[in-house]
Amino acid sequence: MPSSVMPTTTPGAGPQAPAAVSAAGLRKSYGDKTVLDGIDLRIPAGSVFALLGPNGAGKTTTVQILSTLISADGGQAQVAGHDLATAPQAVRGAIGVTGQFSAVDGLITGEENMLLMADLHLIPRREGKQIAAELLERFGLTEAAKKPASTYSGGMKRRLDIAMTLVGSPRVIFLDEPTTGLDPRSRHNMWQIIRELVTGGVTVFLTTQYLEEADELADRIAVLNDGRIAAEGTAEELKRLVPGGHVRLRFTDPGAYRDAAGALPGSTADDDSLTLQIPSDGSQRDLRSVLDRLDAAGVEADELTVHTPDLDDVFFALTGGAGVPAQSAQSAQSAPSDATKETVR
Ligand SMILES: Nc1ncnc2c1ncn2[C@@H]1O[C@H](COP(=O)(O)OP(=O)(O)OP(=O)(O)O)[C@@H](O)[C@H]1O
């Protein structure tokens, strides 16, 4: 998977920004099954936070607790400055939630769905109509506004769902798997919508099973596994936690391939494809040393590719028991900066 990084960091969204969501020691069990076993979170205001985890890891449970839909068995949390336990009503007034199961009523039109939300927020009719019209326009739904929502495509329904969430001007939005089931174009549209929300100062807490989505959107990512946060950091920090970085050299001339193999003793050779794989952290220094050794041997590779682990590697390593130790946020944050996957010919 190509690793592109486009963090949506906005001014004021750094770790020092006030927390839009903070949680300490959140616990939740169903019967004798422990779903959350002490979750700590701190999400700066105006940032995108992605919670990743395999099926059944507890992502939806976390969203349900933080959005006051269910209560935790232990721990504490503040959302938009309000305590979950003592001021749930204030939390509800400050958040929007778009779940895996849409709040859209298919029997009524898109516009009527919006007006219903405005009524729920006790917004006067005239103002409600104006807000509905603005949001429908913003989400490209003006033309379809008078049609029953059941006639909308999956992408349109999802956009209407988010538009409905925005009626109450929430400061924190929880998006539970916002692009599941969407085609690539609709998914990219949704990403654009999420970026625009953050530009407008909203904090987005999203759960996703798409690592590419977290990589594209999130300022910070946490991986939930076995009821705990197995790792937390930026996409780049997380990628540095797993081994597997290497330089791959491809040759067309078998003689050059053999000479290069002799010059690079630590490499893994593949005689069929005439490629050599050399463990590397992808740093400039490492790369230069490989090139110097090739120069000294008088050989030139036909293709050189630098591979750094992507989020897939991180996910499998952290959630599959592949031997990467669970990490503290501190150790991820202190890792040095590094390059991502790129090809040099
Ligand atoms: N109301 C409930 N009663 C009993 N068990 C529940 C309940 N809600 C969730 N669970 C269990 O808690 C665990 C976590 O569920 P949750 O929906 O939070 O996971 P998830 O990470 O969102 O998964 P997915 O990616 O599949 O949506 C699962 O094992 C689930 O079966």
Side-chain angles (χ1 to χ4, degrees), residues 30 33 35 54-61 100 177 209:
Y30 286 111
K33 180 175 173 52
V35 179
N55 287 127
K59 302 181 294 293
T60 300
T61 303
Q100 285 181 47
E177 300 195 13
Q209 304 205 25

Side-chain angles (χ1 to χ4, degrees), residues 135-152:
L135 284 168
L136 287 166
E137 165 89 43
R138 182 166 150 202
F139 289 99
L141 293 168
T142 305
E143 234 173 78
K146 306 266 188 234
K147 293 182 184 147
S150 57
T151 64
Y152 290 14

Side-chain angles (χ1 to χ4, degrees), residues 220 231-233 237 241 327-335:
R220 297 190 75 75
E232 198 262 344
E237 286 165 352
L241 291 175
Q327 152 260 15
S328 71
Q330 194 57 42
S331 65
Q333 283 161 13
S334 60

